[in-house]
């Protein structure tokens, strides 16, 4: 389609929808990396627009510039293509959110067509710019852009299958379904926090691995967030940290459309967001006309890139459902199909005479170049990396391991082992030993605590703090921001396969970050949740700090490992499992109090989930099976010793992870918990909810089905009946 | 003790700890309520300090003024008493947080001795000022103040039993243990959000019930929050709303001591809090010297009270562990006992020669007046209320019902009932019917949704929105702030017994507010959590929006009712239960999709938790028991019909609430689920975790133990095997 046709289309719009020309778009050249210039000038006739550091951005942005200067109206056409792909997909599904894609199409177009650096044929290219749609309900925007850019994952068929069973285009963006989607969003505020994690990784790895002339790690993280994301506390937490860390390559667009589901944001959201973000330490820019102010958007991005010490928030005023004559600027454009009549009216209003899902040939042609350009950008990067590899072999090897997610041979040997003679310790301390040993062999291990490093015992002693001016360090200080911490770790995990983020707080405060933990499980991110103070055993802080139902609540959650190690070996074994499970997160419940190293534990047996610790029965026919986890395994052991002295055949089983035990063969399960033995007693300082599955209807689960109390730990254990005596009594009753 | 002795004490302090005199404290008189002046001038010789509206404040503040002007050093002595009560209690317990009480003692003294309005002998006096220590770890500050003020709940014995089994002084403030404590805090950020709820109630009830000359509802809400609270997202959510609602009688003190557990706040918290709060819409004041700037603190409170359109944040710069020569201004003063040596050094440094737990006689005498004054303030209020009652009988009756928590006679008749002939509906819609019917008879019902009112179906049609300028209305618009919403509702519930807050979002997003829900359960607050879209039945939005493990996760939580009604009668029954349970919250899981009204359901039976819906067996000996909840009860019913046609004796059981069923007599339980019948099948579109307890080892639990999917609901149900056919198949297998 020619420019003339586009102009005709444009003239059919109402006055308020008139789209401004891009003639005033002025280009500034501030490129600091002059070593790139030769390459650029041979490729292009016009001067490159300012970029921060790498060749790649310059190519993309500059070539886009060339195109858009010659054919300004093609931009409008591309933008309307995006709008109608979204409208049509939602209409066909009769479900979805057309409003955001219609409003943010101009921004989306500029980002994917002019600004971002990616290779559609390799969505996992390491140095790509990351894009996160934090307002995940608007996912048709992202799918439309991936489609236009040439990603295999979103073909026309996929758009037509939007929100259908088995499609690549689910109702909210899911990284584990659709290559090109970086993280899983939809629950509001998560995406911006994930983006902080992505940008953290970029700054961290760049600082660790880049060398002069070899900016191997060098990309931006772009994110679109809406009013909902802004209202969520998790976004404030993460954005406070983003500024604290000076993540200058994080550029967030706030889709300020003044509409949320309940109507005008005036009913619940009247704060001054600009001022809040300035308070957080961000650079704030306002794009007044996000509907058609292409140059305004471009200039804002330029300005954001020129800021070198802090992240930027670009507030973009848009109209939700832009183009819909009767539903624009209203909540009715937000979360449901426009309806056939309104789709027709919108087509008319925007001069869009095409069939549903149509991509005009010139738009298609225009976008096609990204396939070549993307390949070329990656090739250039590969060339650079090859040179880097020659010059900096050790760094390159390490970085490659991070990029590929390969664990170094023999890494497991770093895990400490223990014998019963070694004095006992709190599993939180044993955890710190594991973390410190592992940090020496796992270059991708990075993490920290939500202001409880000295209680959670998470400091890596050989490293300093990851901070604005020391980003190569690996101790992350999250402050008292559990939810942000969890979501940031999801972003870290999804940046690159070999990164192994861990994060810590008191186990009870998983309640603060449960949404992020669930998303870790759903989105298959290998985050290690180091959760200490895992029961009433923490003592005096009382019931607000004592988890009770938390173990059960994670056992009920899909695709997550709930591990409660009993001593040094099991703690090491739990770390081994957490690291080996690349597609699921692990929650480690660790004690505040000292626990002895038990006879019979081992690193390896943890992978079975449940295993026999000791047994004086024969023929798989014990009189009673005592089952314990974590700090209560010791009680089961002691009760077992006592019962054996009384002549009983007793099996003691450590049940460190239900999920892992569930995954064992029936034969193995029978060898540990034979169906023929119904005399079973479990003990765990937590809710008994669910334990009937293990102890059966004739067994007895000893646990805590009420809230904790404030007192020294020993006293609470006694008052709550979590004792050796209780196990003995129960065992005598059931067998 | 005389002023001279205090001066001698003072002179023994080091220069840096010298406490400024209060001579410069200038009094401004802006009292707008001139009808109070006569009373004041008879009571006092000096002019009253400015107060906003009520007589009560004026009395308290003015009399304090008289005392402090005559005896400036008594203030210092009182402040040091507070400091050492905290130091000594923590030392005796060898556990706790001395740092905050030592730093905030001046502020605490001024609030409780000079500013606040309360009656120590009636901690539940309706019109008291509310005080919330959001930084709950510093609870010894609050206990010390309650002790000095003459509350029966905190005697010297109680201080000596700090953090011990069964004491009234647990490790964090617990409203259900200690009269005088308004809400349960400790998990950071909750208290400030609770305080927003308390202030909301004040504004709401004042607007509904106050009349000229009868400001029956008229109190301030004071809260102290620390760095941790500031970092937590929940506080930002709640504070955004507080400004939006213009809660001008909410005065928050930010204890800005620059220290958190991990050390200097510089390592994780460098935002400009003042600017953020200005962005949120608060009035912000900075007290530069919170350690000894008594007048600065007083003036800041005056200024805050003079602001009539927004809440105030008073940032008070303090020194954590003030007075401790070696631990002040360090994290080591935060969370553990100072140690005998440092306690001694601190005594010396602050010139405190007394034995542990000693309250000097003059300090005791000084504080004693609060008992008389408190009684007099309440008497005055009672007198006023008696007059009000005469003039405004209807209003007074209603307000009294709210104050006393009495449910109006016959309120239950407002609940709608249904027969199978009535067309089915989504339980979220049926829930709205209940809410609207109940709002007519329950004057304390108030609530709303986190920006999903039209999806959660929570609007009260006869009311408008609770907003800054329409605070008498009862639809609260929380915006997309689930966590803040939950914590605010806890504050509402704890303001006054007869308030019944409800709040709503999608069930899956209980993950965002789980910490607040847990505190509702722990602190015994009657909040109704209206959670719609309760399963894969929501369809296309996909797994990020589909709860799976959530039902199980609440069943595992102590002191909360997890209700999943199946139709209209059960929904009404669930509301009945939720309202009758004044000391525990309820979670109502409600469907997005339509459900039929089933034969055999009733409002009353819900209170049994589980009951027989239909049965063709005799002698309590069915061939099989089919058990369903919520939207799956219909599947159990249909499967039962089919199996009966095949000749089976089938019992169908509705299992709407496990907790309620657990509380029934063994006899009743056996009448529903006889031990002799092991052929049991359950069906629920959620995790099967825990169902072994109900179906036993020989039964079968049909459910979902993986994440959901994005597709039309019917398709997902089929693909996930949540079908009538699956129930029939399982039934045939087990019996």
């Amino acid at each position: 389609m020619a420019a003339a046709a586009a102009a005709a289309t444009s003239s059919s719009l109402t006055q308020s929808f008139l789209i401004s020309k891009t003639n005033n778009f002025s280009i500034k050249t501030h490129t600091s990396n002059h070593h790139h210039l030769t390459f650029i000038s041979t490729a292009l006739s016009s001067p490159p627009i300012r970029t921060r550091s790498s060749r790649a951005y310059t190519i993309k942005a500059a070539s886009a510039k060339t195109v858009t200067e010659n054919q300004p109206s093609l931009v409008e056409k591309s933008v309307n293509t995006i709008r109608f792909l979204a409208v049509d997909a939602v209409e066909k599904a009769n479900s979805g959110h057309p409003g955001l894609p219609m409003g943010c199409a101009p921004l989306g177009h500029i980002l994917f067509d002019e600004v971002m650096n990616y290779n559609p044929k390799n969505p996992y290219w390491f140095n790509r710019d990351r894009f996160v749609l934090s307002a995940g309900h608007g996912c048709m925007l992202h799918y439309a852009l991936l489609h236009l850019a040439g990603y295999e994952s979103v073909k026309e068929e996929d758009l037509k299958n939007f929100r259908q069973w088995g499609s690549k285009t689910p109702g909210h963006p899911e990284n584990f379904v659709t290559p090109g989607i970086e993280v899983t969003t939809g629950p509001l505020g998560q995406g911006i926090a994930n983006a902080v994690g992505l940008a953290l990784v970029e700054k961290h790895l760049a600082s660790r691995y880049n060398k002069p002339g070899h900016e191997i790690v060098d990309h931006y993280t772009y994110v679109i967030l809406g009013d909902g994301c802004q209202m969520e506390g998790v976004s404030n937490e993460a954005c406070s940290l983003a500024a604290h860390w000076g993540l200058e390559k994080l550029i967030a667009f706030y889709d300020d459309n003044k509409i949320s589901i309940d109507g005008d944001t005036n009913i619940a959201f009247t704060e001054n967001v600009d001022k809040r973000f300035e308070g957080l330490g961000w650079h704030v820019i306002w794009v007044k006309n996000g509907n058609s102010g292409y140059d305004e958007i471009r200039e804002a991005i330029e300005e954001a890139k020129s800021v070198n010490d802090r992240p930027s928030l670009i507030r973009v005023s848009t109209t939700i459902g832009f183009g819909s004559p009767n539903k624009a600027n209203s909540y009715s454009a937000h979360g449901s199909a426009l309806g056939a009549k309104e789709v027709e009216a919108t087509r008319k209003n925007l001069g869009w005479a095409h069939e549903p899902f149509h991509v005009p040939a010139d738009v298609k042609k225009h976008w096609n170049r990204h396939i070549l350009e993307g390949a070329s950008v990656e090739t250039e990067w590969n060339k650079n990396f090859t040179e880097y590899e020659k010059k900096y072999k050790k760094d390159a090897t390490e970085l490659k391991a991070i990029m590929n997610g390969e664990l170094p041979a023999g890494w497991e040997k770093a895990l400490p082992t223990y014998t019963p003679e070694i004095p006992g310790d709190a599993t939180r301390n044993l955890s710190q030993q594991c973390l410190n040993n592992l940090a020496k062999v796992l270059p991708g291990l990075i993490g920290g605590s939500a202001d409880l490093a000295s209680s959670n015992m998470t400091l890596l002693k050989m490293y300093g703090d990851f901070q604005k001016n020391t980003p190569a360090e690996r101790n992350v200080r999250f402050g008292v921001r559990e939810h942000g911490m969890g979501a940031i770790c999801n972003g870290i995990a999804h940046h690159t396969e070999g990164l192994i983020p861990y994060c810590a707080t008191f186990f009870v405060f998983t309640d603060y970050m449960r949404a992020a933990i669930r998303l870790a499980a759903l989105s298959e991110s290998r985050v290690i949740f180091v959760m200490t103070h895992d029961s009433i055993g923490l003592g005096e802080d009382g019931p607000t700090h004592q988890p009770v139902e938390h173990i059960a609540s994670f056992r009920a959650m899909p695709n997550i490992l709930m591990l409660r190690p009993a001593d040094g070996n099991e703690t090491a074994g739990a770390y081994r499992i957490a690291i080996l499970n690349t597609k699921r997160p692990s929650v480690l419940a660790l004690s505040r109090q000292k626990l002895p190293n038990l006879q019979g534990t081992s690193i390896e047996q943890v992978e079975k989930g449940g295993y026999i610790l000791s047994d004086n029965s024969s023929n798989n026919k014990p009189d009673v099976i005592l089952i314990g986890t974590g700090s209560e395994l010791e009680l089961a052991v002691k009760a077992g010793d006592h019962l054996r002295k009384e002549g009983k055949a007793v099996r003691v089983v450590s049940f460190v992870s239900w999920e892992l035990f569930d995954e064992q063969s029936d034969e193995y399960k029978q060898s540990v918990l034979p169906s023929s033995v119904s005399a079973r007693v479990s003990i765990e300082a937590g809710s008994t909810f669910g334990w009937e599955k293990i102890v059966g209807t004739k067994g007895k689960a000893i646990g805590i089905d009420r809230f904790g109390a404030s007192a020294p730990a020993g006293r609470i254990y006694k008052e709550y009946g979590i004792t050796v005596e209780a196990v003995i009594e129960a065992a005598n009753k059931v067998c």
Side-chain angles (χ1 to χ4, degrees), chain A:
Chain A
M1 183 177 162
T9 301
S10 176
S11 68
S12 73
L13 303 181
T14 62
Q15 184 64 26
S16 65
F17 291 142
L18 269 177
I19 293 165
S20 72
K21 301 282 178 188
T22 60
N23 299 346
N24 298 328
F25 181 36
S26 67
I27 289 172
K28 300 165 202 153
T29 309
H30 311 290
T31 310
S32 55
N33 298 53
H34 293 291
H35 65 279
H36 291 153
L37 285 179
T38 316
F39 176 79
I40 293 159
S41 58
T42 55
L44 302 165
S45 55
S46 61
I49 72 170
R50 198 209 73 76
T51 65
R52 185 178 168 280
S53 54
S54 94
R55 186 178 301 189
Y57 310 119
T58 319
I59 300 169
K60 176 69 61 66
S63 50
K65 172 67 189 152
T66 314
V67 175
T68 54
E69 267 190 342
N70 295 341
Q71 303 167 299
S73 65
L74 198 53
V75 172
E76 298 160 26
K77 213 168 159 184
S78 167
V79 166
N80 280 335
T81 304
I82 297 162
R83 287 189 176 120
F84 281 99
L85 286 176
V87 166
D88 294 339
V90 172
E91 202 60 24
K92 183 158 189 299
N94 192 26
S95 169
H97 302 75
L100 183 144
M102 295 168 83
C104 288
L107 171 58
H109 169 88
I110 290 173
L111 279 176
F112 275 72
D113 191 54
E114 301 178 15
V115 174
M116 276 173 58
N117 225 7
Y118 57 88
N119 180 6
K121 296 302 169 198
N122 179 11
Y124 301 108
W125 171 47
F126 173 70
N127 197 42
R128 68 194 181 276
D129 284 334
R130 265 66 173 180
F131 173 76
V132 174
L133 186 65
S134 189
H137 51 272
C139 56
M140 266 311 306
L141 173 71
H142 201 170
Y143 298 148
L145 291 165
L146 293 176
H147 177 62
L148 290 175
Y151 283 74
E152 303 286 344
S153 47
V154 189
K155 298 197 174 290
E156 188 179 324
E157 271 314 291
D158 301 300
L159 295 175
K160 288 179 175 169
N161 274 320
F162 180 52
R163 295 190 150 220
Q164 302 309 301
W165 178 260
S167 84
K168 291 246 177 266
T169 47
H172 289 84
E174 295 171 359
N175 60 294
F176 54 97
V177 166
T178 319
I181 301 291
E182 304 287 353
V183 293
T184 294
T185 61
L188 296 174
Q190 299 293 329
I192 173 68
N194 297 161
V196 172
L198 294 169
L200 176 154
V201 169
E202 198 273 346
K203 182 161 180 155
H204 172 66
L205 294 181
S207 173
R208 269 171 78 178
Y209 296 107
N210 284 358
K211 308 285 177 193
H214 294 286
E215 284 163 328
I216 300 300
V217 189
D218 181 15
H219 69 79
Y220 282 87
T221 302
Y222 300 98
V223 54
I224 296 179
L225 65 163
D227 291 305
C229 295
Q230 288 288 15
M231 287 188 253
E232 291 286 6
V234 62
S235 68
N236 194 71
E237 292 180 10
C239 289
S240 179
L241 282 170
H244 173 75
W245 292 327
L247 302 180
E248 78 268 22
K249 288 164 83 179
L250 173 63
I251 300 179
F253 302 89
Y254 165 31
D255 175 29
D256 183 22
N257 63 28
K258 305 282 183 208
I259 298 293
S260 65
I261 294 177
D262 277 354
D264 194 294
T265 52
N266 268 340
I267 68 171
F269 188 48
T270 48
E271 66 178 55
N272 183 332
V273 173
D274 292 358
K275 202 165 183 178
R276 175 162 63 87
F277 268 78
E278 280 163 14
L280 294 177
W282 287 54
H283 181 74
V284 179
I285 307 165
W286 179 26
V287 169
K288 287 178 194 162
N289 175 11
N291 294 331
S292 55
Y294 300 107
D295 287 351
E296 256 192 88
I297 296 171
R298 292 180 180 112
E299 282 162 17
I301 297 172
E302 288 305 293
E303 183 181 327
K305 287 188 174 181
S306 75
V307 173
N308 288 318
D309 63 343
R310 57 188 61 206
S312 292
L313 180 78
I314 304 177
R315 179 161 64 90
V316 187
S317 290
T318 68
T319 301
I320 193 170
F322 179 92
S324 161
N326 304 301
K327 296 194 168 180
N329 198 27
S330 143
Y331 71 90
S332 58
H334 168 81
S336 39
L338 295 179
K341 209 172 141 191
E342 187 64 13
V343 170
E344 228 14 73
T346 308
R347 279 188 143 70
K348 202 169 164 195
N349 188 36
L350 293 181
W352 196 255
H354 307 290
E355 287 299 295
F357 299 100
H358 182 73
V359 179
D362 50 353
V363 172
K364 199 174 277 180
K365 193 181 156 209
H366 173 78
W367 279 85
N368 271 349
R369 77 187 194 291
H370 290 290
I371 293 172
L372 271 178
E373 281 184 14
S376 133
V377 161
E378 182 171 350
T379 305
E380 271 304 306
W381 184 86
N382 285 334
K383 236 166 70 186
N384 193 356
F385 189 76
T386 307
E387 287 166 32
Y388 174 86
E389 220 173 346
K390 282 180 203 151
K391 287 197 226 167
Y392 310 101
K393 201 165 164 22
K394 189 170 159 285
D395 284 313
T397 307
E398 204 175 272
L399 181 57
K400 268 167 81 176
I402 291 177
M403 292 192 291
N404 303 333
E406 283 160 13
L407 294 169
W411 69 275
E412 290 166 274
K413 288 179 197 142
L415 291 166
T417 57
Y418 300 84
T419 59
E421 293 71 40
I422 297 173
D425 205 346
T427 48
R428 60 173 171 153
N429 292 330
L430 299 161
S431 160
Q432 185 169 42
Q433 190 61 51
C434 290
L435 283 170
N436 277 275
N437 288 14
L438 288 170
K440 289 175 196 150
V441 294
L442 299 177
L445 192 73
I446 179 170
S449 160
D451 195 46
L452 288 169
S454 53
S455 293
N456 303 141
M457 308 306 292
T458 47
L459 281 184
L460 304 179
K461 291 171 187 169
M462 72 274 257
Y463 293 110
D465 287 354
F466 172 85
Q467 293 287 5
K468 186 172 185 170
N469 298 318
T470 52
E473 301 294 342
R474 285 155 74 176
N475 286 304
V476 185
R477 304 289 197 162
F478 290 102
V480 192
R481 302 181 185 94
E482 299 82 7
H483 199 174
M485 172 173 75
I488 288 169
C489 283
N490 285 338
I492 294 174
H494 287 308
H495 185 285
T496 295
E497 273 185 60
L499 288 165
I500 308 175
Y502 65 93
C503 63
T505 183
F506 290 159
F507 190 28
V508 77
F509 298 138
T510 50
D511 285 348
Y512 273 74
M513 57 193 296
R514 196 167 163 93
I517 298 178
R518 185 178 208 256
L519 276 164
L522 174 63
S523 72
E524 303 175 353
S525 78
R526 174 178 48 181
V527 179
I528 307 177
F529 296 98
V530 179
M531 296 297 151
T532 73
H533 295 60
D534 72 343
S535 76
I536 52 166
L538 66 86
E540 291 88 344
D541 274 343
T544 54
H545 285 56
Q546 291 163 354
V548 168
E549 69 280 17
H550 299 75
I551 303 175
S553 80
F554 287 109
R555 286 183 184 142
M557 189 181 277
N559 199 46
I560 194 163
L561 293 172
M562 175 70 241
L563 296 141
R564 189 160 186 257
D567 68 357
N569 288 333
E570 285 199 355
T571 303
Y575 272 99
R576 176 172 168 269
I577 288 297
I579 287 157
L580 287 173
N581 275 267
T582 56
K583 297 281 184 195
R584 60 178 162 179
S586 295
V587 178
L588 274 58
L590 303 166
S591 76
R592 177 191 187 224
Q593 71 273 32
K594 271 194 187 176
L595 306 177
N597 285 302
L598 298 169
Q599 185 73 48
T601 60
S602 75
I603 291 180
E604 293 70 27
Q605 288 178 109
V606 170
E607 75 185 17
K608 300 285 190 187
Y611 65 94
I612 300 172
L613 196 72
S614 67
D615 198 354
N616 67 330
S617 73
S618 47
N619 299 323
N620 203 19
K621 273 260 174 197
D623 298 327
V624 65
I625 304 175
L626 308 181
I627 307 160
T629 79
S631 45
E632 285 67 65
L633 185 57
E634 178 192 1
L635 305 186
V637 167
K638 285 183 175 163
D641 290 347
H642 180 95
L643 289 163
R644 282 173 195 145
K645 279 180 199 154
E646 287 183 346
K648 293 267 191 336
V650 182
R651 174 175 296 174
V652 177
V653 169
S654 171
F655 224 64
V656 57
S657 164
W658 289 29
E659 299 84 8
L660 293 173
F661 186 74
D662 262 351
E663 290 163 12
Q664 303 308 310
S665 67
D666 282 347
E667 196 188 344
Y668 177 79
K669 285 190 229 177
Q670 284 296 323
S671 76
V672 178
L673 298 178
S675 310
S676 56
V677 181
S678 65
R680 304 178 184 185
V681 177
S682 69
I683 184 156
E684 183 172 71
S687 171
T688 61
F689 188 81
W691 272 102
E692 290 83 3
K693 176 178 177 175
I694 309 301
V695 299
T697 42
K698 291 177 185 162
K700 163 85 179 161
I702 299 173
I704 299 173
D705 292 312
R706 54 170 166 152
F707 287 113
S710 175
R715 180 70 184 269
I716 315 176
Y717 264 83
K718 209 180 145 199
E719 297 284 349
Y720 279 52
I722 310 296
T723 59
V724 175
E725 293 69 34
V727 179
I728 294 168
E729 193 188 324
N732 281 323
K733 267 191 196 154
V734 299
C735 72

